[in-house]
Amino acid sequence: MQITDMKVEEKMWPLLRQAFRPFFLLGATFSAIAMMLWLWVLSGAIQLPVFADVMFWHAHEMLFGFVAAIIVGFLLTAVQNWTGLRATHGRALAVLTVVWLLGRLALLFGAWLPVYVPVAIDLLFLPLAAFFLAIPLITVKQQRNLFFVPVLLLLTLCNGLMYYGRLTGRFDLQQVGSQNAVLLITLLMAIVGGRVIPMFTANGTMTQKVQPIVWLDKLALGTLWLIFALQITQLSSFFADVWLAGLYALAAVLLAWRCVRWKPWITLRVPLVWSLHIAYWFLPIGLALMAWHHFNGEVTLSTAIHALTAGAMGNMILSMLARVSLGHSGRPLQPKAIMSVAFCLVALAALVRVFAVWWWPTMTLDWYLFAGTAWILAYLIYVFVYLPILTTPRADGRPG
């Protein structure tokens, strides 16, 4: 950047210099607060004046509040590297952040507001983020990453379906919205993980990068795209459950094959890498549980979904937050030792929420409280460790 740009940069609040700063900090903080409120509701300690009901609020806010914030923060930061153009910052980033914050407040206190207020505010966030993402991509005519723009719009569609289903009493449409948001984010994790995990593994362990098998990657991602297309259009209703189970099982096997090829066993001394491998393994686990659910119903949909949300999303997000926050703030990729504790806590939270609840259902509430507490601690560790990093200028003096 030119010197004049650096002078402007130095006057700007560091939190608004790149999108990862506000959205990683606020998203992680919100996930801990939202989980804490959810546990208090489950234990009967409080009642919340939320939009719709607390079940809707919990499912919606963990997806479209927490996860959406991290996705937007990641994409609007990465686009600067992809295009070489200055990404969303300053006033534009402040506006986007305020829209997200207002959405969270509107959903939390939705019982006191006209019904259209939280819906309108919340549905504005992802399209606005897609607009900011599209500008630099279109400017440099970069086709490879342009597909992230329609992905954000598809997530908006899923969000809208959740609202429409709730407001019209169509629980089936509400579930279509939430379940397909999970599937779409699963697909994003499979794509991004496939791009970065082999490279991060090679760099972190000083070993040769595992080269992709093109047909394997295309088949794995194509299967996930097919599942999403069948589910979002409801064409899956024309197929017997056993066929849908077969698709999920195929996707699980293909993603597990990718995981094994990346040699997770060589990463045990590198927390920023082994935490990513743990996260990615929850993808085939969750898809396998989805297959089991559709095959004979012995596994509940909630159990399978939480393997993909609490498991894959919770672990991958925390790992990527820890890494991206260091790299994009000009610091060495050496997290504090306590972050390994956070990685273990969020992995434990996922294992308990998925498997302990499944195997010992008589203790369901206890497992919920245990898993939720582990999640809260994990994300609060991130917030306290990275707060000074996210709110101060880059360590190397560069813009951003």
Side-chain angles (χ1 to χ4, degrees), residues 16-319:
L16 296 178
R17 293 183 183 181
Q18 280 221 63
F20 78 92
R21 292 175 176 272
F23 285 115
F24 286 9
L25 180 60
L26 294 175
T29 303
F30 174 73
S31 81
I33 293 173
M35 186 63 71
M36 190 179 303
L37 293 174
W38 173 240
L39 296 185
W40 286 346
V41 168
L42 287 180
S43 62
I46 62 171
Q47 291 184 335
L48 296 175
V50 297
F51 175 87
D53 57 62
V54 289
M55 290 293 292
F56 178 94
W57 176 81
H58 172 66
H60 182 276
E61 290 301 87
M62 294 309 286
L63 285 173
F64 295 104
F66 164 53
V67 178
I70 305 305
I71 291 173
V72 167
F74 175 79
L75 291 177
L76 291 183
T77 300
V79 73
Q80 186 162 302
N81 288 348
W82 297 339
T83 64
L85 300 179
R86 191 72 168 93
T88 307
H89 65 286
R91 291 181 180 177
L93 181 56
V95 168
L96 188 62
T97 304
V98 168
V99 169
W100 179 84
L101 280 169
L102 289 176
R104 310 293 58 81
L105 292 172
L107 267 292
L108 181 58
F109 300 105
W112 300 339
L113 299 170
V115 69
Y116 60 85
V117 172
V119 176
I121 295 174
D122 184 54
L123 286 177
L124 176 61
F125 174 64
L126 286 172
L128 186 58
F131 172 75
F132 287 137
L133 179 64
I135 292 174
L137 290 172
I138 293 174
T139 300
V140 301
K141 299 179 181 180
Q142 188 184 100
Q143 302 297 321
R144 183 171 187 252
N145 294 306
L146 192 58
F147 82 96
F148 285 113
V149 174
V151 164
L152 291 179
L153 298 179
L154 283 172
L155 277 175
T156 305
L157 172 63
C158 294
N159 195 7
L161 282 173
M162 280 197 73
Y163 284 120
Y164 181 77
R166 175 66 196 184
L167 295 176
T168 60
R170 291 285 303 277
F171 176 75
D172 58 325
L173 291 181
Q174 178 182 321
Q175 189 175 59
V176 168
S178 60
Q179 184 176 338
N180 281 282
V182 171
L183 292 175
L184 190 56
I185 297 167
T186 296
L187 177 59
L188 277 179
M189 290 188 291
I191 293 171
V192 173
R195 290 185 182 184
V196 304
I197 293 177
M199 178 178 61
F200 291 168
T201 300
N203 294 343
T205 61
M206 303 298 290
T207 57
Q208 187 174 1
K209 178 184 174 183
V210 174
Q211 295 303 313
I213 300 175
V214 176
W215 69 262
L216 173 61
D217 289 354
K218 287 184 176 181
L219 185 57
L221 299 179
T223 304
L224 289 176
W225 273 116
L226 178 59
I227 290 171
F228 172 75
L230 291 174
Q231 296 278 52
I232 193 69
T233 61
Q234 290 295 280
L235 289 175
S236 56
S237 61
F238 294 101
F239 294 85
D241 275 351
V242 67
W243 291 106
L244 196 56
L247 275 178
Y248 277 110
L250 175 61
V253 169
L254 293 171
L255 289 182
W257 188 352
R258 294 176 100 200
C259 293
V260 171
R261 292 190 69 251
W262 297 335
K263 303 176 183 177
W265 54 88
I266 67 174
T267 69
L268 298 180
R269 296 184 179 181
V270 191
L272 286 180
V273 183
W274 61 250
S275 56
L276 272 178
H277 280 269
I278 288 176
Y280 206 87
W281 268 105
F282 272 103
L283 292 179
I285 290 172
L287 293 167
L289 291 174
M290 289 291 287
W292 199 342
H293 167 74
H294 285 285
F295 183 68
N296 59 18
E298 289 184 4
V299 175
T300 66
L301 181 61
S302 176
T303 295
I305 288 291
H306 277 85
L308 296 172
T309 53
M313 294 179 203
N315 283 273
M316 187 170 289
I317 284 173
L318 188 62
S319 182

